[in-house]
Amino acid sequence: FGREGASFLVGDAEALDKVLDGAEPFDLIVSFETVEHLARPDAFLATLKRFTAPGGAIALSCPNDGHMAVEGQDNPFHLAKYSFADFRALSERHLGPASMWMLGTSLLGGFNFLPGDQLVEVPHEAQRDVVQAGGVGNTVLLPAQYNLVTNEANCSHYIGIWGATVSANAAISTLPARAFLEPW
């Protein structure tokens, strides 16, 4: 994801003040799937707010472990499980009211593409290849089946955004038929 003007820092999220010591405020801070790993998420979130530039934006996500976890298979690296209400309360306690909230879910459906599509038919091995995204202009969202609706209780993750708004969005990566029919 590197590009001119982008910088990356690595360090302890619970000691973010030390990691960011001397850093200029950021125009955009993105932290996906972090707070559930922290014993002191309050310190982390408070530091994010201090290091957001005026007019800057923050995007945070958190998994819905309560719904996603399979009985007996809890993630040992998640120190806390957050409901949507818990994650929202924790985040807004430090960052103020969010500009918007989103819920994430897996997709079910099909994708029709033109033969020769380089994103679909050419093997991509490097993780950086994910930045070669392409738009699909004629995508539609169909209604949920009556007994399979997605909501705060059963979504896969929650996303809070401060200082910006975005439209509903999706990241779609194709699977060949064999991978769909014979997973693993």
Side-chain angles (χ1 to χ4, degrees), residues 45-172:
L45 292 168
T47 304
L48 292 184
K49 181 163 178 103
R50 284 196 306 276
F51 279 93
T52 303
I58 299 174
L60 300 175
S61 77
C62 177
N64 181 2
D65 277 336
H67 175 70
M68 295 300 292
V70 176
E71 189 173 326
Q73 294 183 354
D74 287 342
N75 187 325
F77 302 105
H78 290 187
L79 302 182
K81 291 182 181 180
Y82 295 95
S83 67
F84 176 67
D86 294 338
F87 178 60
R88 183 175 183 160
L90 170 69
S91 301
E92 290 189 339
R93 182 166 58 240
H94 298 284
L95 303 175
S99 303
M100 65 181 300
W101 286 98
M102 301 178 88
L103 302 177
T105 189
S106 300
L107 299 173
L108 177 62
F111 175 61
N112 303 309
F113 64 95
L114 299 173
D117 187 307
Q118 297 296 297
L119 286 174
V120 177
E121 291 188 6
V122 174
H124 298 278
E125 295 181 21
Q127 291 179 342
R128 294 181 68 122
D129 287 346
V130 73
V131 298
Q132 298 179 26
V136 179
N138 61 351
T139 301
V140 297
L141 181 63
L142 301 174
Q145 184 174 318
Y146 80 97
N147 62 340
L148 296 177
V149 298
T150 303
N151 55 37
E152 294 174 7
N154 65 12
C155 64
S156 62
H157 58 279
Y158 330 112
I159 300 174
I161 300 176
W162 288 261
T165 58
V166 298
S167 61
N169 55 72
I172 302 169

Side-chain angles (χ1 to χ4, degrees), residues 14-36:
E14 291 182 326
L16 207 49
D17 278 330
K18 292 178 186 174
V19 175
L20 297 176
D21 186 37
E24 294 292 320
F26 295 90
D27 295 325
L28 173 64
I29 296 175
V30 178
S31 178
F32 287 166
E33 316 283 319
T34 306
V35 297
E36 68 277 7

